[in-house]
Amino acid sequence: MSVHFRCASTPNAYNFIFHIIYLFISVTMVSAVIKLSAVLMLVGICFADISLKPVTEVCLGCMCQAVSGCQQGATCEGDACGLFRITWAYWADAGKPTLPGISPDSPDAYASCTNDPHCAADCVQGYMRKFGQDCNGDGVVNCYDYMAIHKLGGYGCKGDLPFQYVNVFNQCVAAVAQAQQG
């Protein structure tokens, strides 16, 4: 008997994972130590994956497209920097990620991170770990919620989003889905 699943950050996914674990334990004839080790490893892998990088690469890409057009070379304009248009407060709430060799207390730490695509993506991941929530009330925390949190902030994600931002985001998601199908 083989069962396939992937880890995801929804209550239904947790129920599914625990159902699979229950089936594994009840169906196989394995020692209790091996069963417990397998359960702990599976749960640890799933929860680690969810908690470290809650936002998928596709979601990050579409958020970037919606907020800035993902134009390489984007720098600081006004109070926001980089491809994701990250403010200092957002960066600080995300845990002040930095490029290697730069202290979070360095005067260049914020701008150097937010203007670097990889560090900026880590910043978004950190922010979503802190503020991830169901913004649209559908019972699932997913890319649409992260998109709202990114634009409206961790405390305002249930507000109205700008039409153009949502439109570009939805077009990006649809284009990626179409590309993956064909």
Side-chain angles (χ1 to χ4, degrees):
M1 174 176 156
S2 73
V3 179
H4 301 280
F5 68 93
R6 66 181 186 86
C7 299
S9 60
T10 65
N12 290 339
Y14 295 148
N15 290 337
F16 180 71
I17 291 166
F18 289 116
H19 178 72
I20 296 304
I21 292 168
Y22 173 77
L23 285 174
F24 172 76
I25 292 171
S26 62
V27 172
T28 62
M29 295 299 209
V30 182
S31 77
V33 172
I34 293 173
K35 286 180 187 178
L36 180 60
S37 296
V39 168
L40 292 175
M41 184 174 69
L42 178 63
V43 171
I45 290 169
C46 290
F47 283 102
D49 182 43
I50 293 165
S51 65
L52 294 178
K53 298 213 178 214
V55 186
T56 66
E57 294 293 322
V58 169
C59 188
L60 282 170
C62 289
M63 287 168 51
C64 176
Q65 187 64 34
V67 79
S68 74
C70 278
Q71 297 174 0
Q72 286 291 340
T75 58
C76 297
E77 295 175 15
D79 66 344
C81 294
L83 296 172
F84 291 98
R85 310 305 305 144
I86 295 170
T87 64
W88 189 94
Y90 186 113
W91 174 75
D93 282 340
K96 295 184 177 181
T98 62
L99 293 173
I102 298 179
S103 165
D105 298 323
S106 166
D108 299 335
Y110 158 67
S112 65
C113 177
T114 56
N115 287 312
D116 175 82
H118 297 288
C119 192
D122 288 344
C123 186
V124 173
Q125 295 286 8
Y127 195 83
M128 298 310 156
R129 280 192 304 273
K130 181 172 182 176
F131 291 107
Q133 61 188 291
D134 180 15
C135 300
N136 59 5
D138 65 357
V140 177
V141 178
N142 60 23
C143 187
Y144 292 96
D145 300 303
Y146 297 135
M147 176 260 304
I149 294 164
H150 185 69
K151 186 68 175 173
L152 301 175
Y155 299 112
C157 73
K158 294 181 181 171
D160 294 329
L161 288 160
F163 173 79
Q164 184 64 19
Y165 177 73
V166 174
N167 190 39
V168 171
F169 179 83
N170 286 336
Q171 287 176 0
C172 177
V173 170
V176 170
Q178 185 176 14
Q180 288 176 341
Q181 289 178 352

